[in-house]
Amino acid sequence: MKKIFPILLLTVFSNWISAQTNSEKFKKLFADNDTTNIKILLADWEKSKPGDAEFYTSAFNYYYSNSKNEVNALEKTQRGEESLELLDSAGTIAGYMNSYIDYNPACIDKAFFYINKGIEKFPSRLDIRFGKCYVLGELANYKDFTNEIINTVKYSTTIKNAWLWTENKKLEDGENYMLSSIQGYLKQLYDTGDDKLLENMKQIGDITIKRYPANVEILSTTAVAYMLTEKYDKAIVYLKQAEKINPKDYIVLSNIAQGYTRKGDKENAIKYYELTEKYGDEYSKQLAKSELKKLKN
């Protein structure tokens, strides 16, 4: 699946004209890290062209980028695999040298002030909404991350998926573009390994499925979140919905089999493992054979 995510550095697609546009000026100054002239440009831009959507994305990019500060600190706990382990004279771990990104609250607040204004003024600009989602994910602010995705899904049905992207260009196949990104965000939540975020996955999945009931990947991913929270019946309902759309999707079939196994429904578990064995790739076939052997014994 092709996943599409917003980028923070603006790419300008407009035709070159004799005088640079504000977007082009910003891109050049941003690349040069010329903060003094960026501030001058943004102040003039906001005053002279408050109806320019690119101003809000540019201001957001600037303040978000300016908020980041790399910190190196000696701490008792390890923050990540790249942390440097420090030993005392006895060879015992004394602490860790951690490197991480800290954020300036004032700059972050200003960044969100501008991106929220951008969404308010230009609600059909999907890049603005997804730019906000990207940063919320970087900040691990998963409550607002989830709410912004849900708001985007709801608004998409309001405008019949007629999304715009940078420079107010119409987004081709806006529905699939958005849904592929939603699937990416669900996977992002799952990949954190934080069980509490399974609830966020279910919230996003439920809203999306209600409005877009034919997306197999979102049905399947949301079902996994329900499966992992032991809501097997709900998981199977979504998976059966996905099966109707693609009866030979072996991942869906395997997950249905797993749901029935966890429920203790041996007959249906066998049925769906046999279907997995029939339609699956080599790995899935071997897994299905192994599970069938256990169930039939």
Side-chain angles (χ1 to χ4, degrees):
M1 179 190 71
K2 184 179 179 183
K3 300 183 181 69
I4 302 168
F5 298 95
I7 55 175
L8 291 179
L9 290 177
L10 298 179
T11 304
V12 180
F13 294 106
S14 56
N15 294 327
W16 287 98
I17 53 178
S18 55
Q20 281 186 314
T21 65
N22 284 328
S23 292
E24 291 163 350
K25 290 176 185 176
F26 176 79
K27 183 183 176 184
K28 175 68 167 61
L29 294 172
F30 193 87
D32 293 341
N33 197 28
D34 188 345
T35 57
T36 300
N37 282 312
I38 286 176
K39 286 181 179 179
I40 294 170
L41 172 65
L42 290 175
D44 178 66
W45 195 353
E46 184 173 20
K47 192 180 298 182
S48 62
K49 292 185 177 179
D52 187 352
E54 310 323 308
F55 163 73
Y56 295 96
T57 56
S58 298
F60 175 64
N61 288 326
Y62 169 69
Y63 284 108
Y64 170 64
S65 178
N66 218 38
S67 74
K68 294 189 286 186
N69 179 41
E70 187 172 357
V71 176
N72 293 303
L74 178 60
E75 298 174 310
K76 290 183 178 180
T77 57
Q78 185 177 17
R79 285 180 179 259
E81 293 180 1
E82 295 182 3
S83 299
L84 181 63
E85 191 176 88
L86 302 176
L87 306 177
D88 60 20
S89 57
T92 305
I93 297 174
Y96 298 89
M97 180 59 72
N98 293 316
S99 178
Y100 60 94
I101 299 295
D102 192 26
Y103 295 91
N104 180 299
C107 286
I108 284 292
D109 287 347
K110 206 150 190 179
F112 281 114
F113 169 80
Y114 282 114
I115 205 69
N116 288 334
K117 277 284 185 186
I119 293 170
E120 179 186 334
K121 286 176 175 286
F122 309 96
S124 297
R125 280 283 297 266
L126 191 58
D127 63 313
I128 299 180
R129 291 176 181 269
F130 281 173
K132 180 180 177 181
C133 290
Y134 174 86
V135 172
L136 289 169
E138 290 293 290
L139 298 173
N141 181 349
Y142 293 115
K143 179 181 177 181
D144 289 346
F145 176 85
T146 299
N147 288 335
E148 191 58 50
I149 294 168
I150 288 172
N151 289 338
T152 299
V153 172
K154 288 179 177 178
Y155 191 73
S156 194
T157 55
T158 301
I159 61 170
K160 298 180 180 177
N161 311 305
W163 289 109
L164 303 175
W165 202 250
T166 56
E167 302 294 329
N168 290 324
K169 291 189 175 181
K170 183 181 177 181
L171 193 58
E172 296 300 324
D173 198 3
E175 179 178 335
N176 284 329
Y177 199 116
M178 181 198 68
L179 291 175
S180 66
S181 297
I182 301 299
Q183 168 65 9
Y185 291 136
L186 289 171
K187 186 175 183 302
Q188 183 177 341
L189 289 168
Y190 177 81
D191 286 345
T192 64
D194 185 348
D195 287 347
K196 293 192 293 295
L197 296 181
L198 293 170
E199 295 302 320
N200 299 62
M201 290 178 65
K202 290 193 286 188
Q203 289 172 34
I204 294 168
D206 287 344
I207 290 291
T208 307
I209 292 165
K210 184 177 179 180
R211 288 162 173 77
Y212 301 92
N215 188 285
V216 171
E217 288 180 315
I218 291 175
L219 283 164
S220 187
T221 303
T222 307
V224 168
Y226 274 100
M227 192 95 70
L228 292 173
T229 51
E230 300 182 357
K231 305 292 183 183
Y232 304 127
D233 288 333
K234 182 71 170 180
I236 290 169
V237 166
Y238 278 156
L239 290 166
K240 287 286 194 75
Q241 198 170 322
E243 183 194 10
K244 284 182 181 178
I245 299 163
N246 186 357
K248 296 181 181 180
D249 188 319
Y250 60 86
I251 294 173
V252 170
L253 296 171
S254 179
N255 283 339
I256 295 174
Q258 205 175 130
Y260 279 126
T261 300
R262 295 186 183 202
K263 271 191 71 178
D265 186 339
K266 186 175 177 181
E267 183 180 346
N268 275 309
I270 289 171
K271 173 186 172 182
Y272 278 93
Y273 274 126
E274 286 175 344
L275 287 169
T276 304
E277 187 179 12
K278 180 178 179 180
Y279 295 116
D281 62 7
E282 194 55 40
Y283 174 78
S284 298
K285 288 177 187 290
Q286 292 304 318
L287 180 64
K289 283 179 183 177
S290 174
E291 293 301 317
L292 284 168
K293 187 175 180 181
K294 293 176 192 174
L295 289 166
K296 289 178 178 179
N297 288 340

